[in-house]
């Protein structure tokens, strides 16, 4: 599961992330101290629109899915050449 | 990142191109305030500081200040890149084009005629048809942005290079250091010009409807302008994500933030907010320090190119230039200062 961290030193408390979240229930909620809190991280669909609208880059997504494109190396590709 | 072989003393050169010289003074202050840097670096070429007039064959660390305006600048820049191991672009002009990049608002022949009365002076340097930032022309190892670059940034960079360590960087914006409170925008409208005495000193400029580039400008200054009632003009250059990503530009990134503050959708209502922004502000206003940068001119929306074309076609600016040219040739009285605001 993705881990979301809000760096409070940078946060401007503008609640842009609360307003913009595209997940069904919304990942963020306004906390009691005025800072947004990550209430439902399991809802996150990793669209990262919150990064685009955060004025101070205070949101950090950790361990989100990275797509790996598998390419064989040259040696392996050389072996395929003989099959045809 | 280039690594220098460990040595007691590295050679340092500073090459000034077309610029105001403010970055040179900041670099001098950095060396003056840090005695450890004076021990580690030996200045071999720096017109402001040493008498040496020829560039040495090999330099360990070279700083470049200013932007490329003439052919001499271009040759000097290529020469220093060939000879230097580590090249640092110092200041907004070298990094993004800076204030000097606004020279592109006019045709260079027209500007020459307006100032000297002739298109070309025989003994003077050849002016290139457009201005270039240093980072657009040669590969640069480090960029110390801002106008002027803070002394601490220069000290940190030179110290880290001397010790062979990577330089620490932060990836936030000016907003993170600004003390003003961000509030939601109730009605989406923009006020032209700078905030007057009626502006609230505690509230964010964007929330009040003034244009402030703090949320798209890279951090490192401590937000002194917004603390004193002046909105951010973006002297540090755009945040690195805006510079790197193809789908981002200064205007679109700012419009996304403003749209969300106003309770709109940052994707669906983006065009509406951009249109509203451009109705009130001249597109040049967003590129005060980045007008010459090829990085921003190459963006798919092309707002920077649009700003360039609009200012070159601006009838008011053209009329002022022609008036000035007639005055330079001695055919007309001096043009009235301040008239014909663009």
């Amino acid at each position: 599961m993705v881990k979301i961290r809000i760096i409070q030193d940078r946060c401007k408390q503008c609640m842009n992330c609360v307003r913009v979240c595209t997940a069904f229930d919304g990942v963020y909620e306004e906390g009691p101290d005025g800072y947004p809190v990550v209430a439902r991280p399991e809802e996150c669909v990793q669209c990262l629109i919150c990064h685009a609208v955060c004025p101070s880059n205070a949101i950090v997504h950790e361990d989100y899915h990275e797509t790996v494109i598998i390419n064989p190396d040259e040696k392996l590709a050389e072996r395929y050449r003989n099959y045809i | 990142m280039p690594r220098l072989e460990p040595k007691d003393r590295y050679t340092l050169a500073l090459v000034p191109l077309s610029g105001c010289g403010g970055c040179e003074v900041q670099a001098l202050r950095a060396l003056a305030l840090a005695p450890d840097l004076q021990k580690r670096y030996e200045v071999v070429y720096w017109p402001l500081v040493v008498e040496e007039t020829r560039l040495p064959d090999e330099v360990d660390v070279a700083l470049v200040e200013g932007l490329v305006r003439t052919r001499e600048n271009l040759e000097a820049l290529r020469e220093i890149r060939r000879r230097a191991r580590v090249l640092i672009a110092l200041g907004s002009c070298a990094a993004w084009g800076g204030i000097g990049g606004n020279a592109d608002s006019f045709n260079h022949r027209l500007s020459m005629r307006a100032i000297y009365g002739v298109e070309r002076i025989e003994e003077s340097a050849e002016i290139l048809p457009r201005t270039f930032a240093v980072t657009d022309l040669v590969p640069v190892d480090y960029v110390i942005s801002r106008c002027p670059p803070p002394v601490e940034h220069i000290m940190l960079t030179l110290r880290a290079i001397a010790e062979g360590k990577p330089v620490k960087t932060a990836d936030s914006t000016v907003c993170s250091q600004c003390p003003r409170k961000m509030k939601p925008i109730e009605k989406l409208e923009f006020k032209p010009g700078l905030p007057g005495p009626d502006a609230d000193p505690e509230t964010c400029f964007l929330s009040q409807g003034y244009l402030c580039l703090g949320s798209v400008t890279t951090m490192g200054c401590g937000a002194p302008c917004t603390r004193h009632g002046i909105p951010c003009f973006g002297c540090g250059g755009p945040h690195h994500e805006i510079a790197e990503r193809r789908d981002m530009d200064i205007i679109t990134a700012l419009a996304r933030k403003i749209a969300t503050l106003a309770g709109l959708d940052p994707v669906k209502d983006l065009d509406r907010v951009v249109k509203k922004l451009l109705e009130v502000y001249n597109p040049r206003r967003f590129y005060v320090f980045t007008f010459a940068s090829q990085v921003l001119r190459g963006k798919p929306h092309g707002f920077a190119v649009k700003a360039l074309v609009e200012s070159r076609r601006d009838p008011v600016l053209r009329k002022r230039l022609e008036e000035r040219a007639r005055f330079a040739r001695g055919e007309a009285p001096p043009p009235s200062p301040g008239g014909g605001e663009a």
Side-chain angles (χ1 to χ4, degrees):
Chain A
M1 198 178 69
V2 64
K3 275 185 208 153
I4 307 170
R5 198 153 52 86
I6 293 175
I7 305 171
Q8 294 209 346
D9 291 354
R10 292 180 182 178
C11 182
K12 292 288 291 175
Q13 311 176 354
C14 64
M15 301 298 146
N16 265 1
C17 45
V18 179
R19 249 173 263 137
V20 82
C21 187
T22 55
F24 188 65
D25 272 344
V27 172
Y28 307 98
E29 252 178 29
E30 191 172 344
D33 54 348
Y35 289 98
V37 288
V38 184
R40 291 171 288 273
E42 68 279 0
E43 293 271 330
C44 181
V45 290
Q46 297 163 32
C47 65
L48 303 190
I49 188 77
C50 47
H51 287 215
V53 299
C54 180
S56 54
N57 266 31
I59 304 168
V60 182
H61 278 64
E62 284 163 357
D63 308 333
Y64 64 89
H65 289 296
E66 276 185 39
T67 310
V68 178
I69 300 176
I70 296 173
N71 266 334
D73 58 352
E74 285 94 340
K75 244 184 208 168
L76 201 59
E78 200 61 33
R79 270 170 51 203
Y80 286 128
R81 187 187 277 185
N82 299 332
Y83 291 155
I84 306 167
Chain B
M1 212 74 15
R3 283 284 173 89
L4 297 171
E5 70 265 26
K7 257 198 277 184
D8 285 345
R9 222 165 143 78
Y10 295 107
T11 52
L12 179 79
L14 193 145
V15 181
L17 306 178
S18 297
C20 65
C23 306
E24 273 185 86
V25 175
Q26 290 291 85
L28 189 60
R29 278 181 70 203
L31 281 183
L33 291 173
D36 59 318
L37 287 181
Q38 292 167 21
K39 278 181 204 139
R40 298 305 301 270
Y41 287 99
E42 184 190 357
V43 180
V44 288
Y45 176 84
W46 187 345
L48 184 75
V49 176
V50 291
E51 277 189 7
E52 181 63 51
T53 51
R54 281 168 303 131
L55 215 56
D57 287 338
E58 270 201 357
V59 189
D60 289 327
V61 180
L63 297 147
V64 179
E65 177 245 14
L67 81 163
V68 176
R69 181 73 171 132
T70 63
R71 194 160 292 281
E72 272 178 12
N73 289 162
L74 185 62
E75 277 157 20
L77 176 63
R78 285 187 177 149
E79 209 52 51
I80 190 65
R81 177 67 274 189
R82 237 176 262 137
R83 294 172 187 202
R85 296 232 176 78
V86 177
L87 188 68
I88 305 173
L90 187 64
S92 278
C93 292
W96 302 102
I99 288 287
N102 287 299
D104 269 4
S105 305
F106 316 110
N107 188 324
H108 68 290
R109 290 197 197 89
L110 271 180
S111 331
M112 279 298 279
R113 243 186 288 162
I115 297 161
Y116 299 106
V118 284
E119 272 188 15
R120 172 139 168 71
I121 303 170
E122 280 306 313
E123 311 88 57
S124 76
E126 186 196 338
I127 290 185
L128 296 175
R130 62 160 283 195
T131 53
F132 295 94
V134 165
T135 45
D136 295 337
L137 294 172
V138 293
V140 171
D141 300 310
Y142 296 96
V143 169
I144 307 175
S145 191
R146 302 216 105 75
C147 183
V151 174
E152 287 86 358
H153 294 200
I154 303 171
M155 288 200 303
L156 271 178
T157 315
L158 288 180
R159 208 170 277 148
I161 291 170
E163 287 165 5
K165 287 179 191 159
V167 189
K168 271 188 196 163
T169 54
D171 67 336
S172 189
T173 61
V174 174
C175 273
S176 63
Q177 294 176 318
C178 173
R180 289 172 179 260
K181 289 233 156 51
M182 258 190 172
K183 287 172 191 162
I185 302 171
E186 277 121 33
K187 196 170 171 236
L188 189 67
E189 57 182 318
F190 302 107
K191 297 169 192 163
L194 293 175
D198 56 325
D200 184 5
E202 301 284 311
T203 315
C204 172
F205 284 124
L206 290 180
S207 311
Q208 296 182 56
Y210 295 105
L211 181 64
C212 174
L213 294 183
S215 59
V216 287
T217 302
T218 184
M219 82 187 291
C221 56
C225 301
T226 53
R227 273 172 217 270
H228 293 93
I230 307 164
C232 177
F233 274 73
C235 76
H239 181 244
H240 71 89
E241 216 168 75
I242 296 169
E244 282 164 9
R245 280 178 60 167
R246 289 280 294 156
D247 60 336
M248 286 225 190
D249 199 344
I250 292 181
I251 296 184
T252 48
L254 190 68
R256 281 207 173 102
K257 282 156 204 182
I258 292 173
T260 318
L261 270 180
L264 303 170
D265 191 280
V267 180
K268 280 180 200 154
D269 297 319
L270 179 65
D271 290 345
R272 222 177 88 202
V273 179
V274 167
K275 206 178 146 202
K276 222 163 188 186
L277 269 176
L278 291 180
E279 267 170 17
V280 180
Y281 303 104
N282 193 308
R284 272 204 307 275
R285 171 72 174 76
F286 298 88
Y287 300 98
V288 176
F289 286 87
T290 51
F291 202 57
S293 174
Q294 192 57 42
V295 175
L296 289 160
R297 282 191 191 175
K299 296 280 182 189
H301 292 290
F303 289 115
V305 176
K306 221 178 272 173
L308 175 71
V309 171
E310 268 178 28
S311 52
R312 281 213 177 187
R313 282 184 183 161
D314 195 338
V316 180
L317 288 183
R318 278 187 82 103
K319 203 179 138 221
R320 295 275 294 165
L321 270 188
E322 277 158 18
E323 250 175 43
R324 189 80 181 66
R326 274 205 298 281
F327 167 63
R329 284 199 301 271
E331 293 167 8
S336 57
E341 271 309 306

